[in-house]
Amino acid sequence: MDIKSDIAPSSCARDDRRKVEEMKRSAIIVELAHVGALSDLRDLHAQDARLGVPPHITVLFPFVDLEADGLTPSLRSRLARAISGVTPFEYRLTDTRWFGDTVLWLAPDDPEPFRRLTRAVLAEFPGCRPYDGAHDGLMPHATVGDSGSLAALRRAEEQILPALPLCGMVAHAALIVEADPGTWRRAERFALGRADNLNG
């Protein structure tokens, strides 16, 4: 899978807790900041951008069914522990790649730190499987577009190439949640490299 507005965590008012409890799917992502060209193209060509999902690289999707498990203190603590065990790292998105001829994405020059973060979360939540096991291996990627015609995606590729590389620092991972009618919002951020992290 490939959120901008925040929601209140379950420690806030009862109405906010109820909203959190009504949510369904969730995911762990790394939000990519200061990537204007990517953000603009995603608004035009990425399905999840229209649902509120920001430019990102997925750490784990699906994560937990929040309708069943809720955003419990135990879940927060376990997720914080897993993410804080990974050292912050820099990334560089250096070139374009394709899944078939329907998904245009950007590749990090070194995908291993993202894989390390995914493996850390999976070690704490072994019942989760990336993309429900639909794909072999872990392929960190930042989706540019996955809708519209091939010609439109080719034009998007031409537009993003001059902006590369896109560089940044990964210091947090975000838990995002889906709420009716299918919009995604950030629930919490968790800091990498901090053993005391609960509400990053």
Side-chain angles (χ1 to χ4, degrees), residues 20-32:
V20 168
E21 290 166 0
E22 290 172 354
M23 291 170 184
K24 299 176 182 178
R25 296 185 298 171
S26 67
I28 310 299
I29 66 171
V30 167
E31 297 169 298
L32 304 178

Side-chain angles (χ1 to χ4, degrees), residues 100-174:
D101 59 5
T102 58
V103 181
L104 170 65
W105 53 280
L106 301 181
D109 63 346
D110 181 7
E112 186 54 32
F114 291 100
R115 292 178 178 140
R116 191 158 52 242
L117 184 54
T118 296
R119 288 193 292 264
V121 176
L122 287 174
E124 185 65 38
F125 298 91
C128 296
R129 294 187 303 160
Y131 300 101
D132 280 331
H135 308 289
D136 293 330
L138 300 173
M139 185 72 71
H141 62 280
T143 297
V144 179
D146 58 2
S147 66
S149 67
L150 176 58
L153 290 178
R154 289 292 187 195
R155 287 193 296 271
E157 183 176 32
E158 293 174 358
Q159 291 174 285
I160 196 67
L161 281 171
L164 301 182
L166 298 175
C167 307
M169 169 68 73
V170 177
H172 294 84

